[in-house]
Amino acid sequence: SQKIEQNSEALNIQEGKTATLTCNYTNYSPAYLQWYRQDPGRGPVFLLLIRENEKEKRKERLKVTFDTTLKQSLFHITASQPADSATYLCALDLTGDTPLVFGKGTRLSVIA
Amino acid sequence: GAVVSQHPSRVICKSGTSVKIECRSLDFQATTMFWYRQFPKQSLMLMATSNEGSKATYEQGVEKDKFLINHASLTLSTLTVTSAHPEDSSFYICSARPGVSGNTIYFGEGSWLTVV
């Protein structure tokens, strides 16, 4: 069956450390993979998109990797800050005009 | 950047009444919009895909007669919760994207529905 899993429901880390979130999927072949941030009571906000032929993408303190052999994406936040506390969602972007397939999210708490 | 506007942000209605939620793409045309539902601390659950000028495509288990979707123009989709019940209370979010796969999807701010 098709599955998308984010390894941790919740992750607590200390300010200044690097947070690493994992997204694994099975029986999908996404052309792209996207990461979103969602704050409580708000809609998700787009962070990064990585293509299937890209290994790594960076944006400021964010880094995403995409391994289509392992069927896994890693999302890193370096020098984490309390303001980074939120739920982070990975989403598979299949071909055509199909909706994204979302993971359940990882709730990140950065402790000062 | 592209913005998707959702209205109302919060609504309280009485059981048995209907509520309409609007989703607008403000600076791009969206032939397709997506409606999600999210319960507290749960993931986004896709309810339906709204197609401009044609019938919406509903996900399994979503009652099309209860959740009426109308995509009347390239910038507006509406979700009407008919004969609402307390169990329909939830956070409803729409999304849209300019173009197809590989483009950023933009989400509305969401609408909190409380049925009393």
Side-chain angles (χ1 to χ4, degrees):
Chain A
S1 62
Q2 294 176 316
K3 280 195 300 187
I4 175 171
E5 291 177 320
Q6 293 188 242
N7 65 327
S8 299
E9 187 176 320
L11 179 66
N12 297 326
I13 65 163
Q14 206 160 6
E15 182 178 8
K17 302 290 186 185
T18 296
T20 299
L21 285 62
T22 305
C23 177
N24 295 290
Y25 59 92
T26 54
N27 294 321
Y28 282 110
S29 296
Y32 311 87
L33 193 143
Q34 302 195 23
W35 283 88
Y36 288 79
R37 169 182 172 142
Q38 186 176 23
D39 291 287
R42 309 292 295 273
V45 174
F46 171 77
L47 295 175
L48 280 168
L49 175 151
I50 186 165
R51 292 173 170 73
E52 61 178 340
N53 60 353
E54 294 179 313
K55 296 293 183 188
E56 183 179 297
K57 199 80 167 278
R58 289 175 186 260
K59 179 181 173 185
E60 296 172 353
R61 293 185 296 112
L62 308 180
K63 184 177 86 171
V64 171
T65 63
F66 192 11
D67 188 326
T68 54
T69 302
L70 290 178
K71 295 186 184 295
Q72 181 182 78
S73 175
L74 299 178
F75 177 79
H76 306 272
I77 305 175
T78 58
S80 59
Q81 305 165 359
D84 296 326
S85 298
T87 295
Y88 291 87
L89 303 164
C90 74
L92 305 181
D93 190 348
L94 309 175
T95 56
D97 200 14
T98 52
L100 296 179
V101 179
F102 281 92
K104 290 190 174 181
T106 295
R107 192 168 63 254
L108 174 68
S109 296
V110 180
I111 303 159
Chain B
V3 175
V4 173
S5 172
Q6 206 171 322
H7 177 80
S9 58
R10 289 184 180 274
V11 58
I12 301 172
C13 71
K14 289 186 177 179
S15 189
T17 61
S18 296
V19 173
K20 181 186 285 188
I21 301 170
E22 292 187 347
C23 179
R24 292 180 186 274
S25 56
L26 296 186
D27 56 0
F28 65 95
Q29 294 183 332
T31 54
T32 304
M33 291 184 176
F34 306 101
W35 286 95
Y36 294 85
R37 180 173 182 174
Q38 188 176 36
F39 292 106
K41 297 188 178 180
Q42 299 288 317
S43 183
L44 295 164
M45 185 193 82
L46 180 67
M47 298 176 67
T49 301
S50 169
N51 304 298
E52 188 268 336
S54 64
K55 289 182 181 179
T57 305
Y58 290 82
E59 295 299 301
Q60 194 172 8
V62 178
E63 299 174 57
K64 64 175 94 174
D65 293 331
K66 178 160 187 66
F67 299 100
L68 299 178
I69 291 173
N70 183 22
H71 197 147
S73 76
L74 288 171
T75 58
L76 174 64
S77 175
T78 60
L79 167 69
T80 302
V81 183
T82 63
S83 187
H85 291 285
E87 57 265 31
D88 298 324
S89 299
S90 186
F91 190 49
Y92 293 87
I93 312 173
C94 71
S95 71
R97 69 173 154 194
V100 293
S101 179
N103 288 314
T104 301
I105 283 190
Y106 297 95
F107 284 84
E109 283 294 324
S111 299
W112 283 102
L113 170 63
T114 303
V115 185
V116 298

